[in-house]
Amino acid sequence: MDALLEQAVQGMKKNGFEVIEVRTAAEARDYLLAHIDAGQSVGVGGSVSVRDTGVLDALAEKGCKVYTSWGAKPEDVPMIRESSRRADVYLSSANAVTRTGKLVLVDGIGNRVGAICDGPEEVYFVISHSKVVDGGINTAVARIKKTACPQNTRRLGIDTPCARTGNCGGDKCENSICRLTLVVDRVPRNRHMTVIFVEEALGY
């Protein structure tokens, strides 16, 4: 592990996160399956990284109630989001990690950042090495706007300047998915947050 990744890991630990280092998506899936009990309810943000592990189907087969909007009917999505926030466990990723171990997330609706701020006591983040930036919060947000947002808007079929050109439209972007920015400086009191730090590239 190079110096930047090591600094980020040490920063996350200093900031109160439990950090589990794995090599592959399969190892991340296996860790989650081993630590989430059958019968627990599991909320999921719109995370490509989590979906890439294949853990959602595996948790459902194990007997967990998984609340995810992937493939859900539009009329069911509000209930799914509310149930996710009240679940026993929440699964997410972060859009970027700073050199000092702060997690940075940008949302368009707020269900994901809401659940992370004031949701389940147990939160797992699946974050790949590719999301670590050599800088602070501004560098992290720049990475999100340049890398994550264009791919997410294309995936969602949202017509934005970044989807068309790869360049952020800023305040002129009426369809922006960048409406809330959360920086998790430290794990909130009375919560337990684990970062599964994956060498394999996952998500955006």
Side-chain angles (χ1 to χ4, degrees):
M1 182 178 296
D2 65 25
L4 173 60
L5 295 175
E6 179 61 29
Q7 187 174 359
V9 167
Q10 295 307 315
M12 287 187 284
K13 290 179 178 178
K14 183 179 179 181
N15 296 335
F17 296 96
E18 181 177 358
V19 181
I20 306 299
E21 298 178 57
V22 301
R23 292 180 297 114
T24 67
E27 290 177 3
R29 179 199 62 217
D30 290 347
Y31 180 87
L32 289 167
L33 284 173
H35 288 80
I36 299 174
D37 295 332
Q40 286 193 297
S41 56
V42 181
V44 187
S47 170
V48 175
S49 295
V50 171
R51 189 174 65 165
D52 282 350
T53 68
V55 75
L56 301 183
D57 288 342
L59 285 169
E61 291 172 4
K62 183 177 179 176
C64 295
K65 176 61 178 177
V66 179
Y67 295 105
T68 174
S69 59
W70 294 107
K73 297 178 181 178
E75 60 267 28
D76 293 335
V77 170
M79 178 277 294
I80 291 169
R81 289 176 177 152
E82 179 62 24
S83 297
S84 288
R85 188 173 174 179
R86 298 174 181 273
D88 298 313
V89 178
Y90 195 76
L91 304 182
S92 184
S93 187
N95 300 113
V97 180
T98 71
R99 181 174 53 215
T100 57
K102 299 179 188 298
L103 308 190
V104 184
L105 303 90
V106 172
D107 264 15
I109 295 175
N111 57 295
R112 179 176 63 150
V113 299
I116 291 168
C117 288
D118 186 27
E121 293 182 7
E122 189 76 44
V123 179
Y124 292 95
F125 295 93
V126 178
I127 306 174
S128 68
H129 289 189
S130 60
K131 295 187 177 183
V132 176
V133 299
D134 190 7
I137 294 167
N138 289 341
T139 306
V141 171
R143 185 251 176 219
I144 295 166
K145 303 275 186 172
K146 181 176 179 60
T147 302
C149 290
Q151 295 184 80
N152 272 318
T153 51
R154 290 169 193 148
R155 173 178 64 84
L156 296 168
I158 299 174
D159 183 25
T160 63
C162 72
R164 295 192 301 270
T165 70
N167 297 317
C168 180
D171 293 340
K172 296 180 181 179
C173 180
E174 294 183 1
N175 293 329
S176 175
I177 63 170
C178 304
R179 296 173 182 263
L180 302 101
T181 301
L182 172 67
V183 179
V184 188
D185 295 293
R186 296 184 179 183
V187 173
R189 290 190 176 94
N190 303 318
R191 309 285 293 289
H192 184 257
M193 294 185 172
T194 301
V195 172
I196 304 173
F197 198 44
V198 189
E199 183 176 342
E200 182 180 350
L202 301 172
Y204 309 135

